Amino acid sequence: MDFQNICAELEKLYEKHRHNLEGNLADYIPELSKVRPDLFSISMYFVDGREFHLGDSTHKFTLQSVSKPFAYGLALNLKGEDYVHSKVGVEPSGEAFNSIIELEKNTHKPFNPMINSGAIAISNMILNESLLKNFFEKLSNSHLSINHDVYNSELTTAHRNRAILNLLRHFEIVDHNMDQGIDLYFKQCSIEVTTKELAIMGAVLANRGIHPITKENLLEKHYSKILSLMFTCGMYDTAGSFAYKVGLPAKSGVSGSILAIKPNEFSICAFSPLINSHGHSIRAMNLIEELSLKLKLSIFS
Amino acid sequence: MDFQNICAELEKLYEKHRHNLEGNLADYIPELSKVRPDLFSISMYFVDGREFHLGDSTHKFTLQSVSKPFAYGLALNLKGEDYVHSKVGVEPSGEAFNSIIELEKNTHKPFNPMINSGAIAISNMILNESLLKNFFEKLSNSHLSINHDVYNSELTTAHRNRAILNLLRHFEIVDHNMDQGIDLYFKQCSIEVTTKELAIMGAVLANRGIHPITKENLLEKHYSKILSLMFTCGMYDTAGSFAYKVGLPAKSGVSGSILAIKPNEFSICAFSPLINSHGHSIRAMNLIEELSLKLKLSIFS
Amino acid sequence: MDFQNICAELEKLYEKHRHNLEGNLADYIPELSKVRPDLFSISMYFVDGREFHLGDSTHKFTLQSVSKPFAYGLALNLKGEDYVHSKVGVEPSGEAFNSIIELEKNTHKPFNPMINSGAIAISNMILNESLLKNFFEKLSNSHLSINHDVYNSELTTAHRNRAILNLLRHFEIVDHNMDQGIDLYFKQCSIEVTTKELAIMGAVLANRGIHPITKENLLEKHYSKILSLMFTCGMYDTAGSFAYKVGLPAKSGVSGSILAIKPNEFSICAFSPLINSHGHSIRAMNLIEELSLKLKLSIFS
Amino acid sequence: MDFQNICAELEKLYEKHRHNLEGNLADYIPELSKVRPDLFSISMYFVDGREFHLGDSTHKFTLQSVSKPFAYGLALNLKGEDYVHSKVGVEPSGEAFNSIIELEKNTHKPFNPMINSGAIAISNMILNESLLKNFFEKLSNSHLSINHDVYNSELTTAHRNRAILNLLRHFEIVDHNMDQGIDLYFKQCSIEVTTKELAIMGAVLANRGIHPITKENLLEKHYSKILSLMFTCGMYDTAGSFAYKVGLPAKSGVSGSILAIKPNEFSICAFSPLINSHGHSIRAMNLIEELSLKLKLSIFS
């Protein structure tokens, strides 16, 4: 993969989509709808340390669901695969990002750790804010903060997530201090990053779990499982379609970012807060899709 | 990937699972339950032409659902991606192999071409028995026959598949001579192959759509899309779990075969007619899973 | 209940709704959309023989789903309650008139005889056109004909009903000559009546199964069960709402008629071909609802 | 209806079922499983003041879901039909007593006030413990207490009900102090009565909303709507079957009581704590069913 070539292609695509203001700001929590709609940035980070950034790549946004693969990785580190998957499955759910509670019919487990119910179960395995924040800081190799306005907004309005938590408690997927677990989940979603920082986090997954800068082994045992889950379940009810068209493991968040991984090569993170009805950033999605088609980035190409 | 190493590993695993007679013969059509339950074979075919076979690798069995990715490829060749996906989606359905009719809620399309409803829609795009058989013969590089006992058994008992067909007709996914389409579907499922032949068919997918023996370009434009769909949807309601554990695009059929692809390297086909409740051959599944773990075959490893 | 009073009230309501042309002609089969949209009639028949008619009460329309309670009664006469309910349940399904196939999860039986799947199972218990037609003629005390244009229209377009039939065959709810059963179902739906004739059919149910004119015992053993099912399941997914507001056992058909029964007193049949999204005639529904409210006709009043 | 005849019949049925110890004690909250399993009683109360009791008719049990029609009546009195039904529907849900959260697809309203989600919405309209308790005391014409062991048991274990509450809050069916509403719901379920007292409560519904003893008008405007809902929705996912076989409006509770109403004549309340998988008391159900068949009590007979 030629670095110059990719950068040139990205510049073209960035220009092409720059003025597209289709889509809507997320409004399920009030704070998310206060963002400047024209923000747009891209960051790539290669496993060999090269990086490339365009647009508002130092603008801070909250991680939202893009936090899920990393929290899942932390839970795997802490508890091991067997324990984690006794509580959460690995099957695509066909669930929309804003779907009501759906649990596997026979097991009553959440379908996978990439949807809200699974991610809430994962938070209940971690239950330690500084542990989580510290892990995310190691991944991004920078100091991170929680956006307390977003966090408070989540706390007071996220009745659906509380419904999920109570149902998980009912089915004994979650078995202890519930307030602490959901609190951590809201905090995890409210951690702020730039595309630059998120691209570095993604580069750990691209680099087989080893941090490309610090060389610390953060996800070595589990990176391939996380990538597999991102591929089959990372884009909610359009996971199949993204896998089909783009062919890269990815995760999107309603605040407007999409992180995609080209294993052994690079991560790419695009951000633009205007989302479609599936909760995916329209410009981020289009840009990554067109880049993949043009440069044949699919893992199956 | 060291050829000797793989062969040695396969021999060990073959021995290990040889006497495992867990599971049941498929009984949804009478003919399938008449098979010798202890049959067991493995065939690998490498893109460079090397091959390796163990056990009953010249025993003929009917393709059943393993025919789906190839029929899908033929439909793509004939009709193009846009047309095919105007009728059939690309999302995992979470559907069991014996599930009742489920169509996407808004579009009323089958979820994907790897489940029965999608495969029946695909058959209705081909509608030409000799075209289909000829294509499968090119893929396997051998002469193939339809098992007429199995075909007749399907014809007289497959009320669920007829229900699917009528529903597809209702939603205008299928719009013409219905009897011809379902007839072709049953014939496609009843084509007989050995693991040796099926491994060669799979090697076309492993070799970027170019036949490794004849060098004919059979699926070049579409191989990466087919592999992507096999990865996310090939193993029915355990597709996520297979992707997670094994990490290879695969397809299973109720007659007892599983075909998995290591892109750019090889295909592996295992056969044993004793299946689990998800319709997957138990020995074929275990063998491929353990081989992948041992040799780190996952596409994300 | 004062006859004069009811008639006076009906005249007022008929005038009130006469010019309401809200709603749409049924279009799921082409023939149904060719009807004059302004047709509107009401017929009441009392168990003591008095009758009252307004509007186009000699206009012929096809029975469609209003045939279901009577075909169900015939099946009970022929096969007995135990047999019939070994194949079809008695629970409301929450199903819309145009819903896809839904069968009870554990038993795979149709939910009840008032929805299409249940009615098709019932037709497969009768399997004799002259028997059915003869029974309906006895109920209406008149000569009846099948509208062959509607029947043929059903035959060539009703793919959903054929899907249902195949699924019933798959689950062994239906176990023999399938074409004959669905054919009879389409014929039963295509029998033509006037509101006058349909009101007489309903009066048999109001009169405890004894024909009010011929005194023949047509449904004596089963009338109370049929009324109970009409109350809980007769109006598809608005059955609960109709029971709540109107409080009478009733059945509607997409051709535009609604038949309601005041047990031991009278039947009332209203017809107007303009239907709402639930498949109920808007004027027929409004008129019966307002009459019931005004005269406190609810069985619980 | 001959009083002597009914009493004689009841005595026979009571003897017949006396020693039937089929079924299980409810165990979803620990307190309910501590009851003597052989308890069995019947109470009838006629609108003219006659009464009849057999067995442990002075044993106190908690109302559980039998409280729902009465709380619904109070909400109708307080808020009016329009308001109540802007928040809760009137359609049967096909839901089991222990089902997960299901809300109407388009409106996101609970299906009806007889299932948990609807009843919790109703509690949130009342929000006043003394008002509720006072109303239930007027209905039963006696002093009632809350069983605090059961109430506390509900409080600490009812995660599913809390999940429902949060989901109702999400869909804005419930819009204020949530803890107060669920607290009231648990208290309402924990009110203790004897069959004697519950039969009197039921007699208010049988007597058109007028208390047969105090002559107070407690439910006059709404009794017919409550009876209609009990008929279509009172017995959860066997409501259709109970309506079909027994033909009386009824409500059951998992603590073991079933209350059925013969409009204008009497109420009958049976109690036995051994329940079936649908949550209905087996002996209470059998006894009422057989009595209805024998004496043709169905409202449609």
Side-chain angles (χ1 to χ4, degrees):
Chain A
M1 193 71 55
D2 177 8
F3 182 71
Q4 298 308 330
N5 192 12
I6 293 181
C7 298
E9 200 58 50
L10 269 181
E11 276 174 353
K12 271 190 261 171
L13 288 169
Y14 185 83
E15 275 314 306
K16 176 180 168 194
H17 291 289
R18 190 172 197 167
H19 300 293
N20 175 6
L21 292 176
E22 262 185 286
N24 295 101
L25 292 170
D27 59 0
Y28 85 104
I29 55 170
E31 282 304 317
L32 289 184
S33 62
K34 296 179 183 163
V35 170
R36 259 181 50 213
D38 62 328
L39 289 164
F40 187 27
S41 65
I42 308 167
S43 293
M44 290 186 81
Y45 204 93
F46 288 73
V47 297
D48 62 10
R50 285 175 298 177
E51 52 190 300
F52 181 70
H53 309 280
L54 282 170
D56 309 296
S57 64
T58 58
H59 172 81
K60 288 272 186 186
F61 55 89
T62 55
L63 278 171
Q64 301 301 333
S65 293
V66 185
S67 63
K68 287 170 185 170
F70 301 105
Y72 170 59
L74 177 57
L76 288 174
N77 285 349
L78 294 172
K79 301 281 185 177
E81 227 180 279
D82 288 350
Y83 179 83
V84 169
H85 290 298
S86 69
K87 302 291 188 184
V88 185
V90 295
E91 291 299 328
S93 71
E95 253 190 285
F97 81 100
N98 59 354
S99 77
I100 310 303
I101 296 150
E102 259 186 66
L103 301 177
E104 290 188 6
K105 264 175 200 145
N106 300 320
T107 61
H108 300 305
K109 292 198 293 194
F111 275 92
N112 65 67
M114 300 295 138
I115 57 173
N116 287 10
S117 53
I120 291 172
I122 293 294
S123 291
N124 277 278
M125 295 175 196
I126 299 171
L127 281 182
N128 184 323
E129 182 185 338
S130 61
L131 194 70
L132 178 99
K133 195 154 154 281
N134 187 252
F135 185 66
F136 278 44
E137 290 184 328
K138 281 186 180 169
L139 287 164
S140 64
N141 197 33
S142 57
H143 176 72
L144 301 178
S145 301
I146 288 164
N147 180 324
H148 282 278
D149 291 336
V150 170
Y151 164 66
N152 286 320
S153 205
E154 298 259 19
L155 260 193
T156 51
T157 58
H159 304 294
R160 190 175 50 214
N161 283 332
R162 289 184 186 284
I164 290 171
L165 182 68
N166 277 285
L167 209 62
L168 295 178
R169 184 74 183 79
H170 173 71
F171 286 120
E172 300 179 5
I173 299 300
V174 162
D175 51 9
H176 41 82
N177 192 323
M178 301 207 301
D179 285 339
Q180 209 180 328
I182 194 98
D183 189 73
L184 184 60
Y185 176 71
F186 292 145
K187 281 180 175 148
Q188 164 192 319
C189 290
S190 304
I191 290 173
E192 285 190 320
V193 294
T194 62
T195 51
K196 204 165 169 172
E197 288 158 348
L198 188 46
I200 294 174
M201 293 174 78
V204 182
L205 288 169
N207 195 38
R208 300 169 164 266
I210 309 295
H211 201 289
I213 301 171
T214 67
K215 309 301 177 199
E216 191 173 0
N217 177 348
L218 292 171
L219 290 165
E220 189 184 349
K221 283 203 295 199
H222 305 297
Y223 75 91
S224 68
K225 300 299 179 76
I226 300 169
L227 291 173
S228 178
L229 264 182
M230 289 170 77
F231 195 80
T232 55
C233 313
M235 300 295 278
Y236 302 112
D237 57 338
T238 65
S241 166
F242 195 88
Y244 187 85
K245 287 191 203 155
V246 179
L248 296 176
K251 188 77 202 76
S252 83
V254 289
S255 51
S257 68
I258 298 179
L259 175 67
I261 311 297
K262 176 72 176 170
N264 303 316
E265 303 200 26
F266 59 80
S267 72
I268 178 166
C269 177
F271 169 76
S272 159
L274 295 166
I275 61 176
N276 67 14
S277 64
H278 298 282
H280 305 312
S281 168
I282 290 175
R283 287 192 287 188
M285 178 99 116
N286 289 347
L287 187 144
I288 292 173
E289 186 176 323
E290 291 172 27
L291 187 75
S292 177
L293 272 179
K294 179 77 187 203
L295 304 181
K296 294 191 192 303
L297 300 181
S298 165
I299 54 170
F300 293 115
S301 289
Chain B
M1 195 70 55
D2 177 7
F3 182 70
Q4 297 309 331
N5 191 12
I6 294 180
C7 298
E9 200 57 51
L10 268 182
E11 277 175 354
K12 270 189 261 170
L13 289 169
Y14 185 83
E15 275 313 307
K16 175 178 170 195
H17 291 289
R18 192 173 195 166
H19 301 293
N20 175 6
L21 292 176
E22 263 184 286
N24 295 100
L25 292 170
D27 60 359
Y28 86 104
I29 56 170
E31 281 304 317
L32 288 183
S33 61
K34 297 179 183 162
V35 170
R36 258 182 50 213
D38 62 327
L39 289 164
F40 186 27
S41 65
I42 309 166
S43 292
M44 291 187 79
Y45 205 94
F46 288 73
V47 298
D48 62 10
R50 284 176 298 178
E51 51 190 301
F52 181 70
H53 309 281
L54 282 170
D56 309 296
S57 64
T58 59
H59 172 81
K60 289 271 186 186
F61 54 89
T62 55
L63 279 171
Q64 301 301 331
S65 293
V66 185
S67 63
K68 287 170 183 170
F70 301 105
Y72 169 58
L74 177 55
L76 288 173
N77 286 348
L78 294 171
K79 301 283 185 175
E81 226 180 280
D82 289 350
Y83 179 82
V84 169
H85 291 296
S86 69
K87 302 292 188 184
V88 185
V90 294
E91 291 299 328
S93 71
E95 252 190 285
F97 80 101
N98 59 354
S99 76
I100 310 303
I101 296 150
E102 260 186 65
L103 301 176
E104 290 188 6
K105 266 177 198 142
N106 299 321
T107 61
H108 300 303
K109 292 198 293 193
F111 276 92
N112 65 67
M114 300 297 137
I115 57 173
N116 287 10
S117 54
I120 291 171
I122 293 295
S123 291
N124 277 278
M125 295 175 195
I126 299 171
L127 281 182
N128 184 323
E129 183 187 335
S130 61
L131 194 70
L132 179 99
K133 195 153 153 284
N134 187 251
F135 186 66
F136 279 44
E137 289 184 329
K138 281 187 179 169
L139 287 164
S140 64
N141 198 34
S142 58
H143 177 71
L144 300 178
S145 302
I146 288 164
N147 180 324
H148 282 279
D149 291 337
V150 171
Y151 164 66
N152 287 321
S153 205
E154 298 259 20
L155 260 194
T156 51
T157 57
H159 304 293
R160 189 174 50 214
N161 283 332
R162 290 186 186 281
I164 291 171
L165 182 67
N166 277 285
L167 209 63
L168 295 177
R169 184 74 183 82
H170 173 72
F171 286 121
E172 300 179 5
I173 299 300
V174 162
D175 52 10
H176 41 82
N177 191 322
M178 300 205 303
D179 285 337
Q180 209 181 328
I182 193 100
D183 188 73
L184 184 60
Y185 175 71
F186 292 144
K187 280 180 175 149
Q188 164 192 318
C189 290
S190 304
I191 290 173
E192 285 191 318
V193 294
T194 62
T195 50
K196 203 164 169 174
E197 288 158 348
L198 188 46
I200 295 175
M201 293 175 78
V204 182
L205 287 168
N207 197 37
R208 301 171 163 266
I210 309 296
H211 200 290
I213 301 171
T214 67
K215 308 302 176 197
E216 191 173 359
N217 177 348
L218 292 171
L219 290 165
E220 189 184 349
K221 281 204 296 201
H222 305 297
Y223 75 91
S224 68
K225 300 298 178 75
I226 300 169
L227 290 173
S228 177
L229 263 182
M230 289 170 76
F231 195 80
T232 54
C233 313
M235 300 295 279
Y236 301 111
D237 57 339
T238 64
S241 165
F242 195 88
Y244 187 84
K245 287 190 204 156
V246 179
L248 296 176
K251 189 77 201 75
S252 83
V254 288
S255 51
S257 68
I258 297 179
L259 175 66
I261 311 296
K262 175 73 176 171
N264 302 316
E265 303 200 26
F266 59 79
S267 72
I268 178 166
C269 177
F271 169 75
S272 160
L274 295 166
I275 61 176
N276 67 15
S277 64
H278 298 281
H280 305 312
S281 168
I282 290 175
R283 286 193 287 188
M285 179 100 118
N286 289 347
L287 187 145
I288 292 173
E289 186 176 324
E290 291 172 28
L291 187 75
S292 177
L293 271 179
K294 180 78 188 204
L295 303 182
K296 295 192 191 303
L297 300 181
S298 165
I299 53 171
F300 294 115
S301 287
Chain C
M1 194 68 56
D2 177 8
F3 183 70
Q4 297 308 329
N5 191 12
I6 294 180
C7 298
E9 200 57 49
L10 269 182
E11 277 175 353
K12 270 189 261 173
L13 289 168
Y14 185 84
E15 275 313 307
K16 176 179 167 193
H17 291 290
R18 191 171 195 167
H19 301 292
N20 175 7
L21 292 177
E22 263 184 285
N24 295 100
L25 291 171
D27 59 0
Y28 85 103
I29 55 171
E31 281 303 316
L32 288 183
S33 61
K34 297 178 182 165
V35 169
R36 260 182 48 213
D38 62 327
L39 288 164
F40 187 25
S41 65
I42 309 167
S43 291
M44 292 185 79
Y45 204 95
F46 288 73
V47 297
D48 62 9
R50 285 176 297 179
E51 52 189 301
F52 181 71
H53 308 283
L54 282 170
D56 308 296
S57 63
T58 58
H59 172 81
K60 288 274 185 184
F61 54 89
T62 54
L63 278 171
Q64 301 300 332
S65 293
V66 185
S67 64
K68 287 170 184 169
F70 301 106
Y72 170 57
L74 176 57
L76 288 174
N77 286 348
L78 293 172
K79 300 283 185 177
E81 228 180 278
D82 289 350
Y83 179 82
V84 169
H85 291 297
S86 70
K87 301 292 187 184
V88 185
V90 295
E91 291 299 327
S93 70
E95 253 191 284
F97 81 100
N98 58 355
S99 76
I100 311 302
I101 294 151
E102 260 186 64
L103 300 177
E104 290 188 7
K105 265 175 198 144
N106 301 320
T107 61
H108 299 305
K109 293 197 292 191
F111 275 93
N112 65 66
M114 301 296 137
I115 56 174
N116 287 10
S117 55
I120 290 171
I122 293 293
S123 292
N124 277 278
M125 295 175 197
I126 299 172
L127 281 182
N128 184 323
E129 181 186 340
S130 61
L131 194 71
L132 179 99
K133 193 152 156 284
N134 187 250
F135 185 65
F136 278 44
E137 290 185 327
K138 280 187 181 171
L139 286 164
S140 65
N141 198 35
S142 57
H143 177 74
L144 301 177
S145 301
I146 287 164
N147 181 324
H148 282 278
D149 291 337
V150 170
Y151 165 67
N152 286 322
S153 206
E154 299 259 20
L155 261 193
T156 52
T157 59
H159 304 293
R160 189 174 48 213
N161 284 331
R162 289 185 186 282
I164 291 171
L165 182 68
N166 277 286
L167 209 62
L168 295 177
R169 184 74 183 79
H170 173 72
F171 285 121
E172 300 180 4
I173 300 299
V174 163
D175 52 11
H176 40 81
N177 190 322
M178 301 208 302
D179 285 338
Q180 207 180 331
I182 194 100
D183 189 74
L184 184 60
Y185 175 71
F186 292 145
K187 280 181 176 149
Q188 163 193 318
C189 289
S190 304
I191 290 173
E192 286 191 317
V193 294
T194 62
T195 50
K196 203 164 168 174
E197 287 158 349
L198 188 46
I200 294 175
M201 292 175 78
V204 181
L205 288 168
N207 195 38
R208 300 170 162 268
I210 308 295
H211 200 290
I213 300 171
T214 67
K215 309 303 176 198
E216 193 174 357
N217 178 348
L218 292 171
L219 291 164
E220 189 183 347
K221 282 204 294 199
H222 305 297
Y223 74 92
S224 67
K225 300 299 179 72
I226 301 169
L227 290 173
S228 178
L229 264 182
M230 290 170 75
F231 196 81
T232 54
C233 314
M235 301 294 280
Y236 301 111
D237 59 338
T238 65
S241 166
F242 195 88
Y244 187 84
K245 287 191 204 155
V246 179
L248 296 176
K251 189 77 202 73
S252 83
V254 287
S255 51
S257 68
I258 297 178
L259 175 67
I261 311 296
K262 175 73 177 172
N264 302 317
E265 303 199 26
F266 59 79
S267 71
I268 178 165
C269 176
F271 169 75
S272 160
L274 295 166
I275 61 177
N276 66 15
S277 64
H278 298 281
H280 305 311
S281 168
I282 291 175
R283 287 192 289 189
M285 179 100 117
N286 289 347
L287 187 145
I288 291 173
E289 186 176 324
E290 291 172 28
L291 188 75
S292 178
L293 272 179
K294 179 77 187 205
L295 302 182
K296 294 190 190 306
L297 299 182
S298 164
I299 54 171
F300 293 116
S301 291
Chain D
M1 195 67 58
D2 178 7
F3 182 70
Q4 297 308 331
N5 192 13
I6 294 181
C7 298
E9 200 58 50
L10 269 182
E11 278 175 353
K12 269 189 262 173
L13 289 169
Y14 185 83
E15 275 313 307
K16 176 180 168 192
H17 292 290
R18 192 171 195 168
H19 300 293
N20 175 7
L21 292 177
E22 264 184 284
N24 295 100
L25 292 171
D27 60 0
Y28 84 104
I29 55 172
E31 282 303 318
L32 288 184
S33 61
K34 297 180 184 164
V35 169
R36 259 182 50 215
D38 63 327
L39 288 164
F40 187 25
S41 66
I42 309 166
S43 292
M44 293 186 78
Y45 204 95
F46 288 74
V47 297
D48 61 10
R50 285 176 297 178
E51 52 189 300
F52 181 70
H53 309 282
L54 282 171
D56 308 296
S57 64
T58 57
H59 172 80
K60 289 273 186 185
F61 54 90
T62 54
L63 278 171
Q64 300 301 332
S65 293
V66 185
S67 64
K68 286 170 185 171
F70 301 105
Y72 171 57
L74 177 56
L76 289 173
N77 285 348
L78 293 171
K79 301 283 185 176
E81 227 180 279
D82 289 350
Y83 179 81
V84 169
H85 291 297
S86 70
K87 302 291 188 185
V88 185
V90 294
E91 291 299 329
S93 70
E95 252 190 285
F97 81 100
N98 59 354
S99 76
I100 311 303
I101 295 150
E102 260 186 64
L103 301 177
E104 291 188 7
K105 267 179 196 141
N106 300 320
T107 61
H108 299 304
K109 292 197 294 191
F111 275 92
N112 65 66
M114 300 296 136
I115 57 174
N116 286 10
S117 55
I120 291 171
I122 293 292
S123 292
N124 277 277
M125 295 175 196
I126 299 172
L127 281 181
N128 184 323
E129 181 187 338
S130 61
L131 194 70
L132 179 100
K133 192 151 155 286
N134 187 251
F135 186 65
F136 278 44
E137 290 184 328
K138 280 186 180 170
L139 287 164
S140 65
N141 198 36
S142 57
H143 177 73
L144 300 178
S145 301
I146 288 164
N147 180 324
H148 281 278
D149 292 336
V150 171
Y151 165 66
N152 286 322
S153 206
E154 299 259 20
L155 261 193
T156 51
T157 59
H159 304 293
R160 189 173 51 213
N161 284 331
R162 289 186 186 281
I164 291 171
L165 182 67
N166 277 285
L167 209 63
L168 295 178
R169 184 74 183 79
H170 173 71
F171 286 121
E172 300 180 4
I173 300 298
V174 162
D175 51 11
H176 41 81
N177 190 321
M178 301 206 303
D179 285 337
Q180 207 179 332
I182 194 100
D183 188 74
L184 184 60
Y185 176 71
F186 292 144
K187 281 182 175 149
Q188 163 191 318
C189 289
S190 304
I191 290 174
E192 286 191 317
V193 294
T194 62
T195 51
K196 203 164 169 174
E197 288 158 350
L198 188 45
I200 295 175
M201 292 175 79
V204 181
L205 288 168
N207 196 38
R208 301 170 163 268
I210 309 296
H211 201 290
I213 300 171
T214 66
K215 310 302 175 196
E216 192 174 358
N217 177 347
L218 292 171
L219 290 165
E220 189 183 349
K221 281 203 295 197
H222 305 297
Y223 75 92
S224 67
K225 300 299 180 72
I226 300 169
L227 290 173
S228 177
L229 264 182
M230 290 170 75
F231 195 80
T232 55
C233 313
M235 301 294 280
Y236 301 111
D237 58 339
T238 64
S241 167
F242 195 87
Y244 187 83
K245 287 192 205 154
V246 180
L248 296 176
K251 189 78 203 71
S252 83
V254 287
S255 51
S257 68
I258 298 179
L259 174 66
I261 311 296
K262 175 72 176 172
N264 302 315
E265 302 200 27
F266 58 79
S267 71
I268 178 165
C269 177
F271 169 75
S272 159
L274 295 166
I275 61 176
N276 66 15
S277 63
H278 298 281
H280 305 312
S281 168
I282 291 175
R283 287 192 289 188
M285 180 100 117
N286 289 347
L287 188 144
I288 291 172
E289 187 176 324
E290 291 173 28
L291 188 74
S292 178
L293 272 179
K294 178 78 186 205
L295 303 182
K296 295 189 190 305
L297 299 182
S298 163
I299 53 171
F300 293 116
S301 290

